[in-house]
Amino acid sequence: MTDGVLNVQNALSSIEEHWQPHRLTSINDYDVKVVRMQGEFVWHTHPDTDEFFMVVEGELTIQLRDRNVTLGPNDVFVVPRGIEHCPQAAGEVRAILIEPKGTINTGDAGGDRTAQLREINEVAR
Amino acid sequence: MTDGVLNVQNALSSIEEHWQPHRLTSINDYDVKVVRMQGEFVWHTHPDTDEFFMVVEGELTIQLRDRNVTLGPNDVFVVPRGIEHCPQAAGEVRAILIEPKGTINTGDAGGDRTAQLREINEVAR
């Protein structure tokens, strides 16, 4: 039985695929997601919401149209709503994402990188 | 000049007092706060919102009326809205809190532990 405490590293280790966000928990109508990333994602925008990134392991580049930002472990960056961005990870990156429930990973871009939000397996909690 | 990337550990190291939440960044109308805790806080409830805790360093006990939960580094717990709780830290704990803007640290309890939300110093960002 779980006591409700969730370990971010265990949750990340239970994920097998890159670019597949899994819901760890929620804060009201916001989802706290964990994701493993490697390679380049797609350029996209979330017109209606900011997107919070926190790197747990690895080095993540978030490409913006006017610059790139690079995040290492314990670094946080918020992509403001409406700002086009494209995450890129040369090596594997493990991260936490926070955004309102229903936010789609590919934003307004859609396409075959669009992932349905999955749940972290109970065992990993 | 900051590029907008914020380091959680640097932010925590810039805080001098316990139980003084500092705003690191925001996601829409939610604040991401960092806080150092040591000792026992006060029993309180947030009637209108969940409260997200993530421990960065140390061991945090969140006392609930029906049980205690204990969080170590990278552990996450969400206190559901309306649930009375009292954080307790035998040693120092460094943590991230997320809740809607305007949420008061002492919730419905008030009293002299009520802290005004401060901003992380630019230099620590």
Side-chain angles (χ1 to χ4, degrees):
Chain A
M1 204 187 89
T2 173
D3 62 0
V5 177
L6 309 165
N7 184 271
V8 169
Q9 292 280 22
N10 290 353
L12 282 160
S13 295
S14 77
I15 298 177
E16 294 182 357
E17 292 168 84
H18 293 129
W19 306 110
Q20 294 290 341
H22 283 60
R23 192 185 71 91
L24 179 67
T25 187
S26 298
I27 317 161
N28 303 321
D29 55 349
Y30 279 65
D31 284 335
V32 180
K33 306 171 187 179
V34 287
V35 66
R36 292 173 54 192
M37 298 178 270
Q38 189 159 11
E40 188 171 44
F41 198 53
V42 291
W43 282 95
H44 67 283
T45 303
H46 302 286
D48 301 320
T49 182
D50 299 340
E51 181 171 15
F52 171 93
F53 289 83
M54 177 174 165
V55 168
V56 177
E57 278 183 40
E59 187 175 285
L60 175 68
T61 299
I62 300 176
Q63 303 173 82
L64 305 168
R65 287 299 185 191
D66 64 347
R67 70 191 198 281
N68 292 346
V69 295
T70 303
L71 285 70
N74 287 312
D75 280 345
V76 159
F77 185 76
V78 175
V79 178
R81 69 178 69 196
I83 297 296
E84 204 177 6
H85 59 285
C86 180
Q88 186 180 44
E92 187 180 80
V93 172
R94 295 175 172 218
I96 298 171
L97 307 177
I98 304 176
E99 49 201 357
K101 278 184 194 299
T103 303
I104 303 298
N105 65 328
T106 52
D108 63 343
D112 59 6
R113 304 294 291 271
T114 303
Q116 188 141 20
L117 182 63
R118 304 180 190 185
E119 296 287 317
I120 285 294
N121 191 305
E122 251 329 284
V123 178
R125 289 190 167 200
Chain B
M1 205 188 91
T2 174
D3 61 359
V5 177
L6 310 165
N7 184 270
V8 169
Q9 293 279 22
N10 290 353
L12 281 160
S13 294
S14 77
I15 299 177
E16 293 181 358
E17 293 169 84
H18 293 128
W19 305 111
Q20 294 289 343
H22 283 60
R23 192 185 71 91
L24 179 67
T25 188
S26 299
I27 317 162
N28 303 320
D29 53 350
Y30 279 65
D31 283 336
V32 179
K33 306 171 187 179
V34 286
V35 66
R36 292 174 53 190
M37 300 179 268
Q38 188 158 10
E40 188 173 42
F41 198 55
V42 291
W43 282 94
H44 66 284
T45 302
H46 302 286
D48 301 320
T49 183
D50 299 341
E51 182 171 14
F52 171 93
F53 289 83
M54 178 173 164
V55 168
V56 177
E57 277 182 42
E59 188 176 285
L60 176 68
T61 298
I62 301 177
Q63 303 173 82
L64 305 168
R65 286 300 185 192
D66 64 347
R67 69 189 197 283
N68 292 346
V69 294
T70 304
L71 284 70
N74 287 312
D75 280 344
V76 159
F77 185 75
V78 175
V79 178
R81 68 178 68 194
I83 297 295
E84 205 178 5
H85 59 284
C86 180
Q88 185 181 42
E92 186 179 81
V93 171
R94 296 176 170 218
I96 297 171
L97 308 177
I98 304 175
E99 49 203 356
K101 278 185 195 299
T103 303
I104 302 297
N105 66 329
T106 52
D108 62 344
D112 61 7
R113 305 294 290 272
T114 302
Q116 190 141 17
L117 182 63
R118 303 181 190 185
E119 295 288 317
I120 285 294
N121 191 304
E122 246 336 277
V123 178
R125 291 189 165 198

